[in-house]
Amino acid sequence: MKKVEAINFLYVLVLSTTVFLIFTYKELTETKSPGGRMRLLWNWRSVQESYHLAVYPCIESFRVRAHLPVIYVVTPTYPRPTQIPELVRLAQTLMTVPNLFWIVAEDAPILNPRVASYLDGTGICHAYLAAPMPESYRGELKTPRGVSNRRAGMDWIRKHVTEGVMYFADDDNTYHLDVFEEMRWTKKVSMWPVGLVTHLGVSSPVVIDGRVIGFYDGWIEGRKFPVDMAGFAVGIPFFLSKVDAEMPYRAGFEEDGFLRSLEISVDDVEPKADNCTKIYVWHTRTQKATPAPKIATNITHFTDSNLSALEKELFLETSESAFH
Ligand code: UGA
Ligand code: MN
């Protein structure tokens, strides 16, 4: 009897050790790839906090190029038919820039799984945040577009980042790769020209002998810094030192309000792009597209065709359940 008990005990011991080893192995292999592990955690958080983070392709590459400051690109975006094409175009620029972290902030109460999965597929290290414009501004004649999104991006940076550079890149502009290398070593605030802004065709700091002495812009309107959102970058340590810096919900005055809140003078501005003689970013605007109508899949030769799959591409799914 004693012998049978001992064998049973041994049997249970071997079984539980095997189970324990399998779990530990899984845990260890996940921990070895830091991104994979973090991703699991953050996916859970995405449902809890409207927040989604994909880091694994990048942690290693940031380490390899540790001498290069990381550029944190904050992109406001919002649901509309041209959203994915805009993000594709921008992503295909950003994916070639080393040491870049993309913060995509969506003007919507919850994340869109289609956008999340597109972003994951780019391999770009990114955080995807839901940051809806407060309802009180929605009805206004001129709404402060992209402000709640940029503010959410800045909050994220304040919580998670200590080094690097911050840049606000709207989803519909055109970016030459050189603009990122120009901004990478920004100390306080760097600036450069932006093409296709107002009737003047360009908005730029005015530079004499390597110093900014004023601004050329088609819409001055009492602004101390009459510049476009795409025309400046901010050093993150400097930004963090200005604890009250914030972007106002004031259409047309977002850039000026934010730059004033950094408490800089025109003299502090670091001119880039060969003393503002080159254009590396353009304020292009995409023509609005009307939402596609439902495809009439009841028409005989449409039934069982590709069209029902295509329809899924046309309509943005927003249910949280698609995250699971
Ligand atoms: C211009 C400036 O380039 C913006 O930086 C500035 O926020 C805006 O004017 C303003 O003053 O309102 P513009 O091309 O006229 O931008 O505006 P959009 O491109 O339509 O919007 C700017 C950004 O906000 C885009 O990235 C867009 O995706 C986002 N957006 C726009 C939202 O998040 N929600 C909206 O309802 C509309
Ligand atoms: Mn735009």
Side-chain angles (χ1 to χ4, degrees):
M1 199 61 180
K2 277 261 157 71
K3 200 174 168 189
V4 174
E5 265 177 27
I7 286 171
N8 274 350
F9 175 71
L10 256 177
Y11 185 71
V12 171
L13 192 74
V14 168
L15 200 73
S16 50
T17 314
T18 314
V19 170
F20 174 72
L21 282 177
I22 288 171
F23 271 99
T24 317
Y25 175 71
K26 274 195 75 178
E27 194 70 11
L28 279 177
T29 46
E30 275 177 6
T31 320
K32 253 192 231 157
S33 119
R37 182 103 185 102
M38 275 183 84
R39 191 183 165 80
L40 284 177
L41 287 173
W42 288 103
N43 264 342
W44 172 77
R45 287 173 72 95
S46 71
V47 180
Q48 303 291 312
E49 297 181 15
S50 308
Y51 208 103
H52 178 66
L53 186 78
V55 284
Y56 58 112
C58 315
I59 293 216
E60 271 311 307
S61 73
F62 286 1
R63 228 177 263 145
V64 170
R65 299 191 180 89
H67 60 288
L68 280 188
V70 176
I71 301 170
Y72 290 82
V73 173
V74 177
T75 296
T77 187
Y78 70 110
R80 71 237 196 244
T82 54
Q83 183 179 28
I84 295 276
E86 302 284 20
L87 292 174
V88 167
R89 189 166 40 187
L90 179 50
Q92 289 182 359
T93 300
L94 301 184
M95 60 179 66
T96 64
V97 181
N99 280 24
L100 181 142
F101 189 101
W102 196 14
I103 301 170
V104 180
E106 173 124 12
D107 181 357
I110 56 166
L111 299 177
N112 181 334
R114 284 263 313 281
V115 173
S117 91
Y118 172 69
L119 293 175
D120 284 351
T122 65
I124 301 173
C125 192
H126 66 272
Y128 175 41
L129 323 173
M133 184 189 298
E135 280 307 318
S136 51
Y137 298 111
R138 285 229 185 258
E140 285 182 6
L141 203 59
K142 224 179 158 289
T143 53
R145 284 164 291 177
V147 175
S148 56
N149 331 35
R150 297 188 197 100
R151 288 166 76 119
M154 284 190 268
D155 278 355
W156 194 90
I157 288 174
R158 285 199 193 276
K159 284 193 195 117
H160 298 97
V161 184
T162 54
E163 299 290 337
V165 184
M166 173 171 75
Y167 180 51
F168 299 120
D170 288 356
D171 58 1
D172 58 340
N173 294 333
T174 305
Y175 304 87
H176 191 295
L177 293 178
D178 286 1
V179 79
F180 300 99
E181 297 322 312
E182 291 290 332
M183 73 179 70
R184 200 183 285 280
W185 299 95
T186 302
K187 291 184 195 75
K188 288 183 177 174
V189 176
S190 59
M191 291 190 186
W192 50 82
V194 181
L196 303 175
V197 177
T198 75
H199 61 286
L200 299 180
V202 69
S203 164
S204 176
V206 178
V207 181
I208 297 179
D209 291 336
R211 281 188 44 229
V212 175
I213 54 116
F215 298 91
Y216 181 76
D217 188 283
W219 193 73
I220 302 289
E221 207 66 20
R223 294 186 297 167
K224 180 178 176 190
F225 299 101
V227 297
D228 187 77
M229 200 65 78
F232 65 91
V234 185
I236 288 178
F238 174 69
F239 167 65
L240 296 178
S241 75
K242 302 290 174 182
V243 289
D244 295 324
E246 194 55 285
M247 186 171 291
Y249 281 106
R250 193 174 166 215
F253 294 84
E254 297 94 333
E255 299 89 346
D256 187 47
F258 173 65
L259 291 165
R260 282 174 191 252
S261 77
L262 289 174
E263 301 171 313
I264 50 163
S265 66
V266 173
D267 224 24
D268 289 323
V269 174
E270 302 150 43
K272 301 288 183 186
D274 275 346
N275 279 325
C276 298
T277 59
K278 303 264 164 55
I279 299 179
Y280 292 138
V281 56
W282 293 263
H283 188 246
T284 41
R285 307 181 80 175
T286 303
Q287 197 177 345
K288 275 207 166 57
T290 46
K294 285 268 174 204
I295 293 175
T297 38
N298 56 345
I299 294 177
T300 331
H301 61 286
F302 287 179
T303 318
D304 299 327
S305 75
N306 60 312
L307 293 184
S308 38
L310 195 54
E311 193 165 67
K312 290 204 186 80
E313 289 283 305
L314 297 177
F315 299 100
L316 298 176
E317 242 184 290
T318 48
S319 87
E320 277 188 357
S321 60
F323 268 113
H324 299 296

